[in-house]
Amino acid sequence: MIPARPDDRFDPLAARLLSPFDALRAGALRLFARPLAPLIAEPNLRHALLGSASVVAAFALAYVAPLSLLAVGPLLLGVPHLVADVRYLVLRRGLLSLRWSIALVLLALLAAPFVRGVAIAGVALVASGIVARGTAQRRLATALLGALLLGLDAKLGRTAAIVFAHLHNGVALALWWWLRPARDRRALVVPLLALTGAVALLSGMLDPQVAIFRITEESGFFSLSAMVSMLGPVADPVLGVRFVLLFAFGQSVHYLVWLRLVPDDLRGRRAPRSFTASFRALRGDLGLVVLVGTLLVWGALITSASVDAEAAWCAYMRLATFHGPLELACMGLAFAERRAP
């Protein structure tokens, strides 16, 4: 008799835990089968409608509660979005089968808590240009972009890191569009809405809201002044507030891309999976040990936030430093080798 693998023994437990959610899902589908049928059968329509609604909701939250969004979002959704980042950019692309890719990933993971993300991204892009199997021109362009980032980091320091943090939220949309197996024009409404929202926030259309923030929130780690100093690349306090709202909005869209849009496109089937099937697919990609370890880290982060939200938030931010450079490195490789990321 062949002994059961740990993964096999874990399946019944996962199924029992997720079955109530699948039952609710099945009930909702039966109740709304007819109106939901186009969304279930057509991914591009699903992206256009649900993606647009999510972007609008993110914009509204960035307008009315940006500080709460910045405080709670990373703690609840940060770890799952990091897992999706690695899953779809590294594991699904087979990059771990290449030794230099392992070295790049380990470099990012080990250096992230101690080095600014711009410097890591620069090194990763230079390395990508060196090891890529593309034309000399494309490899040189990738390496030069990495050298430019290293130069900007050396010259601008913290300002370059803040700008990079803002831009990396938009990189997710570019990667999603690049990764898509089919580019239907209806789905363009999602990045167009995101761009419109970013322009609206940065142009000052919401400046009257600043007065409300100053009345309701003036001190503490998650205060407006603290977030302005952390996320504003300029000294002007009004522009600083605009950048805070922009980052709250951009971060929410970033999570939407990795937790909804990319998985929906790359699951290999038109209709969404059940919760149990999604869990099994995730376990298949990550392996049981990594998946359980990730769940423990996520649970510990959320639990510690109930005791010290500031420390938990800072711990997550240090943990997440690697994923921006990872995204750029994958884009650099894709450009140099003229292929999908």
Side-chain angles (χ1 to χ4, degrees):
M1 180 177 179
I2 299 174
R5 296 180 307 164
D7 293 36
D8 297 331
R9 293 195 297 267
F10 194 72
D11 271 352
L13 173 61
R16 283 197 298 272
L17 292 174
L18 295 172
S19 59
F21 299 99
D22 280 332
L24 288 173
R25 174 181 179 273
L29 289 177
R30 285 193 298 270
L31 187 60
F32 301 104
R34 184 166 295 179
L36 290 179
L39 292 179
I40 295 172
E42 182 52 56
N44 288 300
L45 179 61
R46 193 160 61 239
H47 289 150
L49 294 180
L50 299 184
S52 298
S54 299
V55 170
V56 170
F59 185 88
L61 286 172
Y63 178 81
V64 300
L67 302 178
S68 298
L69 203 60
L70 289 170
V72 176
L75 296 175
L76 292 182
L77 302 177
V79 171
H81 118 272
L82 294 180
V83 171
D85 216 27
V86 174
R87 181 186 186 188
Y88 293 108
L89 287 180
V90 178
L91 300 178
R92 286 285 189 92
R93 300 281 150 182
L95 293 187
L96 287 185
S97 63
L98 305 174
R99 292 179 181 177
W100 57 262
S101 296
I102 298 176
L104 283 180
V105 172
L106 289 177
L107 171 67
L109 288 171
L110 294 174
F114 312 104
V115 183
R116 284 188 295 263
V118 182
I120 302 174
V123 171
L125 279 175
V126 171
S128 298
I130 293 172
V131 303
R133 292 170 294 189
T135 63
Q137 295 89 338
R138 284 175 172 263
R139 293 170 60 196
L140 179 61
T142 303
L144 286 177
L145 178 58
L148 174 62
L149 289 180
L150 286 170
L152 290 174
D153 179 71
K155 184 174 180 60
L156 301 177
R158 181 175 172 275
T159 301
I162 294 173
V163 172
F164 179 77
H166 282 278
L167 291 178
H168 117 275
N169 286 331
V171 166
L173 278 170
L175 273 169
W176 167 59
W177 196 257
W178 205 349
L179 284 166
R180 302 194 73 219
R183 294 183 174 88
D184 188 285
R185 290 183 179 179
R186 288 173 294 181
L188 266 175
V189 68
V190 177
L192 288 176
L193 273 176
L195 179 61
T196 302
V199 170
L201 291 169
L202 202 53
S203 66
M205 293 176 62
L206 304 183
D207 279 355
Q209 186 74 359
V210 175
I212 299 176
F213 290 142
R214 286 179 175 165
I215 292 172
T216 59
E217 192 69 66
E218 276 297 335
S219 62
F221 181 78
F222 293 111
S223 67
L224 178 64
S225 58
M227 290 296 109
V228 166
S229 65
M230 192 179 300
L231 299 171
V234 294
D236 188 313
V238 174
L239 282 176
V241 172
R242 294 179 189 173
F243 275 104
V244 170
L245 271 63
L246 176 65
F247 192 85
F249 173 61
Q251 180 177 258
S252 299
V253 174
H254 189 88
Y255 291 160
L256 165 69
V257 169
W258 287 115
L259 297 176
R260 180 72 265 173
L261 299 183
V262 170
D264 205 11
D265 263 332
L266 301 183
R267 68 166 49 96
R269 50 179 285 172
R270 297 177 69 85
R273 289 192 184 105
S274 66
F275 290 101
T276 302
S278 295
F279 182 85
R280 287 173 178 162
L282 180 61
R283 187 210 63 198
D285 286 340
L286 299 182
L288 182 62
V289 174
V290 174
L291 177 56
V292 172
T294 301
L295 290 173
L296 290 175
V297 170
W298 188 21
L301 195 68
I302 293 175
T303 303
S304 64
S306 64
V307 178
D308 189 339
E310 177 182 339
W313 191 88
C314 291
Y316 166 75
M317 288 302 173
R318 286 192 295 271
L319 174 67
T321 306
F322 78 91
H323 83 289
L326 177 64
E327 292 172 3
L328 275 187
C330 290
M331 291 184 75
L333 281 171
F335 171 77
E337 298 182 353
R338 196 175 292 194
R339 59 169 175 79

